[in-house]
Amino acid sequence: MGEMLACFADPHSLVRAARTLRARGHRPLDTFTPYPVEAVEGVLDPRPSRLRWAMLAGGVGAAAFAYLLQWYAAVIDYPLNSGGRPLHSWPVFLLVPFEVGVFAAALAGLLAFLWGTGLPRLHHPLFAVPGFERASQDRFFLLAAAAAPGDGTALRHLLEETGALVVFEVRP
Amino acid sequence: MSAEPRPAHRWIAAARESDAAITDAVVAPILVGVGRGWWIALALTLPFVLLTLVAVAWLFWRGVGVWGINTTVVWGFAIANYVWWIGIGNAGTLISSMLLLTRQHWRASINRFAEAMTLFAVSIAGLFPILHLGRPIYAYWLAPYPNTMGLWPQWRSALVWDFWAIVSYLLFSLLFWYVGLIPDLATMRDRADSRGARLFYGSLALGWRGSARHWRRLGTLHTTLAALAVPLVCSVHSIVGLDFAASLMPGWQESLFPPYFVVGAMYSGFAMVVVLAALVRWGLRLQALITVNHFEVMGRVMLMASLVMGLSYATEWFMAWYGGKPDERRLVAYEFLGDYALLYWAMLACNVVVPQALWLGRLRRSIPAMLAISLVINVGMWLERILITWTTLSHGYAASLWRVFRPTFWDWSFLIGPLGLFAFFFLLFVRVVPAVSMHELRELAHREGAA
């Protein structure tokens, strides 16, 4: 007994509850909301993600590969003198790496997003909680752990005091 | 044409739309149904889908000779349609990403179907370069792959640029669209009542739970993709402009072409978004979410684009005169007085003169007027694409090569058929995917204090 999932009617009470919990020594673990609630991020302080670095690496890597491919094809493997233009026609060789690089960055971003969020995960214990489907519509959920192993009841009372509509106990 | 009254709130018409009400309004057309009108519309598009299939089959069977092209005007409708469709396709992502980056939160009501419009329009646009190849069975030669022939693509060829631009852009747009869609797919999963629908939306939603960490990463990914989308979109249409500008023909060899094509794309694309917004609003009964103010701001953007287009035309005339090359000057005279003069004047009327009506706020707030002006702009932009191709090819350097393009039945089929195909795809889209971004609207309502 330790983790509790509380349901709130609006984002303000969610943020207020998370702050109260933290002040009383409990640990707010995560929130589940129908749209991003910025204020709650400060309470949960998730680590900054390295998503953009992954995108940069993917994009630059793919662009470099595309450029090298063009250079190898046009200069080494299949030199073709078309209208006396130089074999290494670098200005027009920039078009393909740019396009491919942007797409590769996007793809790398998606993969980094999936890696960082642990998705896809089609089943999760929280989906079994009755009413949790409203987390994607109009209800705001807070998952919290008790300060000490035996403090489950105290946590439940505190959540109810801060205005939770319902509180469920979550077993992993 | 009476102007619609301004709603109490700028972007959400009902005084207080709760999260639940927004969700219900968007989900209803998919889960409850939109009535018989949708089926009738779908049935109406079927002949056009069939026409497209027959026209493509006939083209592959007989070759490009079924078109009105001749030894001089070697590009006709195919390339003009390609440029027109990709222009429309560009606007969806451009609108969505630019408005996201500039924090124009009103985009929430229009970005989803604008991006869907992009996907369908770019898919259709991508067909034309293949169709016009003459030997379409060899289209795969554009891709670099190790082969027994020891061949590589010609990287200096405009056709190869198009290939990479279209493929990258299409895949990128699909990704951008899907990333913004994941939370709404989760809502659909949670609302669906049949097992099939739950499985369908559930697997696409990837198990999204709306966790704070998920939202944060999704937000980072979405804005970064938007930041990448703007240069990508500009580069894609610049490449289309470069296809022409890199040649040596009078009227094409202009450094103005890439930016001029990008603005043209935004212009025709915004016009198409207005048309679709009017239809989506009416067809899915989303009057509360797509307000008359949305039309008003889109009208302002189109007005600005029409001014830039007018400036671009004037620059072309000026540069032809100022450059002093007789062939360029003769081409401008041919535009105004030659075989296609009537079309050219019509284009100027559609793209520059008629949209000046948008200076009137009353017209920007009248949805029938906006719809009419947008249709005129789309016709005008198509005329522009067709004239860019025809005038130059019909009136190049050698007088002995001057020929006029006369479209055949199959040319018209390739114009009309894909329009129906687009409508067909779009109708399917509005029944499967939430046409408006629900989570962004909830956020907007919350932010603006309307919820």
Side-chain angles (χ1 to χ4, degrees), chain A residues 60-81:
Chain A
V60 172
F65 175 76
Y67 192 94
L68 281 174
L69 180 74
Q70 291 185 83
W71 172 80
Y72 172 76
V75 179
I76 307 291
D77 200 41
Y78 197 73
L80 182 70
N81 185 341

Side-chain angles (χ1 to χ4, degrees), chain A residues 9-69:
Chain A
D10 59 277
H12 308 294
S13 19
L14 174 84
V15 175
R16 206 171 49 230
R19 287 203 181 116
T20 318
L21 252 59
R22 178 161 282 262
R24 301 281 183 89
H26 298 286
R27 278 179 299 131
L29 295 175
D30 206 345
T31 59
F32 305 92
T33 51
Y35 53 84
V37 179
E38 276 174 28
V40 92
E41 284 180 6
V43 188
L44 298 173
D45 56 29
R47 284 161 295 151
S49 78
R50 286 187 292 267
L51 199 126
R52 287 190 173 130
W53 289 106
M55 293 176 83
L56 181 69
V60 172
F65 175 76
Y67 192 94
L68 281 174
L69 180 74

Side-chain angles (χ1 to χ4, degrees), chain B residues 188-262:
Chain B
M188 292 304 298
R189 169 198 66 200
D190 295 338
R191 291 287 294 240
D193 32 22
S194 74
R195 185 173 162 72
R198 268 204 301 273
L199 279 175
F200 174 72
Y201 292 113
S203 44
L204 287 175
L206 308 174
W208 175 266
R209 297 187 292 283
S211 144
R213 287 180 186 83
H214 293 184
W215 278 121
R216 191 184 163 97
R217 288 195 166 79
L218 189 83
T220 312
L221 180 62
H222 206 217
T223 34
T224 317
L225 286 180
L228 285 172
V230 174
L232 179 70
V233 171
C234 293
S235 81
V236 168
H237 219 76
S238 295
I239 287 181
V240 177
L242 217 55
D243 293 346
F244 293 92
S247 74
L248 295 175
M249 296 295 281
W252 282 357
Q253 204 189 9
E254 293 178 25
S255 56
L256 176 70
F257 261 41
Y260 158 57
F261 269 53
V262 172

Side-chain angles (χ1 to χ4, degrees), chain B residues 309-427:
Chain B
M309 290 313 286
L311 186 69
S312 303
Y313 300 139
T315 309
E316 281 197 303
W317 306 326
F318 174 75
M319 288 315 289
W321 167 77
Y322 187 67
K325 276 161 77 182
D327 297 291
E328 299 274 353
R329 288 184 179 181
R330 211 184 48 229
L331 188 87
V332 172
Y334 181 70
E335 281 172 347
F336 281 102
L337 305 165
D339 299 304
Y340 313 120
L342 205 61
L343 294 178
Y344 195 76
W345 288 105
M347 178 202 83
L348 288 179
C350 291
N351 285 352
V352 185
V353 181
V354 173
Q356 298 310 315
L358 293 170
W359 285 104
L360 299 174
R362 238 186 90 236
L363 287 188
R364 289 200 303 269
R365 276 194 303 281
S366 152
I367 288 167
M370 282 292 285
L371 192 63
I373 293 173
S374 301
L375 289 172
V376 165
I377 290 173
N378 269 319
V379 172
M381 284 309 294
W382 182 78
L383 285 174
E384 181 198 301
R385 294 351 185 164
I386 207 93
L387 287 172
I388 283 177
T389 321
W390 287 357
T391 355
T392 288
L393 288 174
S394 296
H395 209 76
Y397 291 109
S400 58
L401 286 176
W402 292 354
R403 307 246 193 302
V404 174
F405 182 93
R406 294 199 193 288
T408 64
F409 169 76
W410 297 106
D411 279 308
W412 292 114
S413 314
F414 275 100
L415 174 66
I416 297 163
L419 282 171
L421 191 64
F422 176 81
F424 176 76
F425 286 142
F426 200 81
L427 283 167

Side-chain angles (χ1 to χ4, degrees), chain B residues 56-322:
Chain B
V56 170
W58 184 243
L59 176 81
F60 283 172
W61 183 250
R62 290 297 302 270
V64 286
V66 300
W67 288 337
I69 52 177
N70 52 48
T71 48
T72 305
V73 189
V74 291
W75 290 351
F77 273 37
I79 292 304
N81 290 353
Y82 159 62
V83 180
W84 189 69
W85 276 111
I86 202 148
I88 287 173
N90 270 342
T93 308
L94 193 65
I95 289 170
S96 175
S97 56
M98 278 198 319
L99 299 182
L100 179 69
L101 290 177
T102 51
R103 301 184 200 281
Q104 300 291 317
H105 296 288
W106 57 270
R107 73 188 264 289
S109 303
I110 61 162
N111 68 329
R112 173 69 45 72
F113 64 83
E115 288 168 30
M117 170 190 90
T118 286
L119 290 178
F120 305 140
V122 174
S123 309
I124 291 173
L127 293 176
F128 284 103
I130 296 176
L131 294 174
H132 98 301
L133 280 179
R135 290 191 294 170
I137 33 173
Y138 297 128
Y140 67 95
W141 285 12
L142 289 168
Y145 67 103
N147 55 60
T148 51
M149 299 176 287
L151 279 179
W152 285 102
Q154 168 56 284
W155 302 102
R156 300 175 197 92
S157 152
L159 196 60
V160 172
W161 306 341
D162 279 345
F163 170 79
W164 290 97
I166 298 170
V167 170
S168 306
Y169 184 57
L170 184 61
L171 294 176
F172 180 92
S173 307
L174 193 64
L175 240 157
F176 187 53
W177 184 69
Y178 180 62
V179 164
L181 193 57
I182 294 173
D184 282 1
L185 288 169
T187 307
M188 292 304 298
R189 169 198 66 200
D190 295 338
R191 291 287 294 240
D193 32 22
S194 74
R195 185 173 162 72
R198 268 204 301 273
L199 279 175
F200 174 72
Y201 292 113
S203 44
L204 287 175
L206 308 174
W208 175 266
R209 297 187 292 283
S211 144
R213 287 180 186 83
H214 293 184
W215 278 121
R216 191 184 163 97
R217 288 195 166 79
L218 189 83
T220 312
L221 180 62
H222 206 217
T223 34
T224 317
L225 286 180
L228 285 172
V230 174
L232 179 70
V233 171
C234 293
S235 81
V236 168
H237 219 76
S238 295
I239 287 181
V240 177
L242 217 55
D243 293 346
F244 293 92
S247 74
L248 295 175
M249 296 295 281
W252 282 357
Q253 204 189 9
E254 293 178 25
S255 56
L256 176 70
F257 261 41
Y260 158 57
F261 269 53
V262 172
V263 176
M266 203 179 81
Y267 189 37
S268 60
F270 249 103
M272 193 62 128
V273 168
V274 168
V275 172
L276 292 176
L279 294 177
V280 164
R281 179 183 200 258
W282 168 75
L284 304 184
R285 298 180 202 93
L286 293 178
Q287 281 87 347
L289 301 182
I290 304 173
T291 68
V292 64
N293 284 325
H294 286 100
F295 287 89
E296 229 243 285
V297 284
M298 289 195 275
R300 288 175 195 216
V301 176
M302 291 191 328
L303 177 62
M304 195 225 37
S306 96
L307 294 176
V308 177
M309 290 313 286
L311 186 69
S312 303
Y313 300 139
T315 309
E316 281 197 303
W317 306 326
F318 174 75
M319 288 315 289
W321 167 77
Y322 187 67

